[in-house]
Amino acid sequence: MAMPITASSLGFHFTAATQNPIFCVPFLRASSAFHATKPCYFLHKTRLLSSGTAIITRAAAPVTNVQDGNQGETDTVPIPIVIIDQDSDPNATVVKITFGDRLGALLDTMSALKSLGLNVVKANVFLDSSGKHNKFSITKADTGRKVEDPELLEAIRLTIINNLIQYHPESSSQLAMGAAFGLLPPKEQVDVDIATRINISDDGPDRSLFYVETADHPGLLVELVKSITDIDIAVESGEFDTEGLLAKAKFHVSYKGKAIGKQLQQVLANSLRYFLRRPTTEESSF
């Protein structure tokens, strides 16, 4: 008999897949205060390309500058980075957004997050050698607590990426979602067979640190957490990073309150490799 899904302090909950959208992503327009929502279906994952496709490196790619309307010059597009951090603050979900030095105060993004039933309780901007970083602390409006539902965490991630594409269309050339929604889709795609890396190590006697890097696609955060909890491993906290076309996740996990043993580590790693690399039978619809 299959063991029930368990999770720890993140409070993960899953519902059976239906034909109803898991969530709706707000689509804002710069020229109007009106916004609409479009349902996103993530019943199946999308495999990006088969083996043999070149991997996009972290180096920025030159493309035509679409922001200032000057089509005669090229501009180096930085790698967009969106980090969903569940580790650093026990009371709030911390979100960090970087796109070189191009981002402003992101008021539209904060408005879009509020439409998901969230409060931005703290926001600041800081600069370093890698660019300008926007940092938000987010809580659920109805409880005042951090976000623990993986489906809502994924909705936050996709909402931010959607707004980035809406207001900085040149970013779509560096994002997996750019293939579906962007003005400039990626010229190349990531080969999921080559890009996938999985590592599991001890993180003290009571938990392990699980790390995975793979090709990004919408719904990935939810799929990863469910794949882990489906084999009765608890996810306690973690961080999910979107770096251009790649996704990088690290989760603190445990089995029956203890660190994961070597045999179960191998089961988890093999299960995730199979899940991430398996052929797609039906593509996600947006």
Side-chain angles (χ1 to χ4, degrees):
M1 179 179 295
M3 297 296 293
I5 293 174
T6 63
S8 186
S9 61
L10 280 184
F12 290 137
H13 302 285
F14 296 93
T15 56
T18 67
Q19 290 304 312
N20 295 320
I22 291 176
F23 53 76
C24 292
V25 178
F27 280 72
L28 302 185
R29 296 291 183 267
S31 59
S32 171
F34 172 80
H35 72 273
T37 57
K38 185 176 182 180
C40 296
Y41 296 88
F42 299 125
L43 303 182
H44 302 272
K45 82 181 188 69
T46 300
R47 181 175 175 122
L48 293 180
L49 276 186
S50 59
S51 298
T53 304
I55 297 177
I56 297 293
T57 65
R58 291 176 59 92
V63 300
T64 301
N65 188 327
V66 297
Q67 278 192 305
D68 59 11
N70 187 346
Q71 301 297 321
E73 298 180 3
T74 59
D75 190 16
T76 300
V77 178
I79 299 293
I81 300 174
V82 178
I83 297 173
I84 308 292
D85 178 6
Q86 293 287 81
D87 279 340
S88 62
D89 189 331
N91 301 312
T93 297
V94 177
V95 175
K96 302 172 188 175
I97 310 168
T98 303
F99 187 46
D101 59 357
R102 304 186 181 201
L103 298 180
L106 298 185
L107 298 178
D108 295 291
T109 296
M110 286 191 280
S111 176
L113 292 173
K114 289 180 180 179
S115 73
L116 295 176
L118 304 168
N119 286 332
V120 179
V121 296
K122 187 188 300 182
N124 59 61
V125 179
F126 62 94
L127 296 170
D128 62 19
S129 59
S130 63
K132 181 188 295 184
H133 307 272
N134 294 66
K135 181 177 177 182
F136 302 145
S137 295
I138 300 171
T139 60
K140 294 187 67 177
D142 57 349
T143 64
R145 297 181 179 179
K146 71 190 302 178
V147 180
E148 297 179 333
D149 179 0
E151 293 176 357
L152 185 52
L153 290 170
E154 180 69 340
I156 291 170
R157 183 176 81 97
L158 296 184
T159 296
I160 292 169
I161 292 172
N162 172 67
N163 265 38
L164 188 59
I165 291 174
Q166 288 285 319
Y167 295 102
H168 294 273
E170 75 276 16
S171 68
S172 67
S173 67
Q174 302 277 29
L175 290 163
M177 280 182 66
F181 299 118
L183 178 65
L184 296 170
K187 293 182 178 179
E188 299 177 87
Q189 302 289 348
V190 176
D191 187 322
V192 68
D193 289 318
I194 300 174
T196 299
R197 297 175 183 149
I198 296 173
N199 184 62
I200 306 170
S201 59
D202 291 339
D203 189 26
D206 298 329
R207 65 183 189 179
S208 301
L209 182 63
F210 168 77
Y211 174 85
V212 58
E213 176 179 330
T214 192
D216 187 28
H217 65 262
L220 179 59
L221 190 157
V222 177
E223 294 169 355
L224 285 175
V225 174
K226 188 176 188 304
S227 295
I228 297 170
T229 57
D230 272 350
I231 56 176
D232 204 30
I233 294 176
V235 180
E236 299 178 6
S237 62
E239 179 179 307
F240 192 95
D241 302 353
T242 307
E243 297 187 16
L245 298 175
L246 295 177
K248 301 178 181 181
K250 65 176 182 180
F251 299 120
H252 300 287
V253 296
S254 63
Y255 178 69
K256 296 183 177 180
K258 298 295 182 181
I260 300 175
K262 296 299 182 182
Q263 287 186 337
L264 190 54
Q265 286 184 18
Q266 193 62 49
V267 170
L268 176 58
N270 290 342
S271 174
L272 261 294
R273 286 193 183 97
Y274 171 78
F275 172 79
L276 292 169
R277 295 174 177 177
R278 76 182 192 270
T280 303
T281 56
E282 181 180 338
E283 291 188 352
S284 302
S285 60
F286 297 90

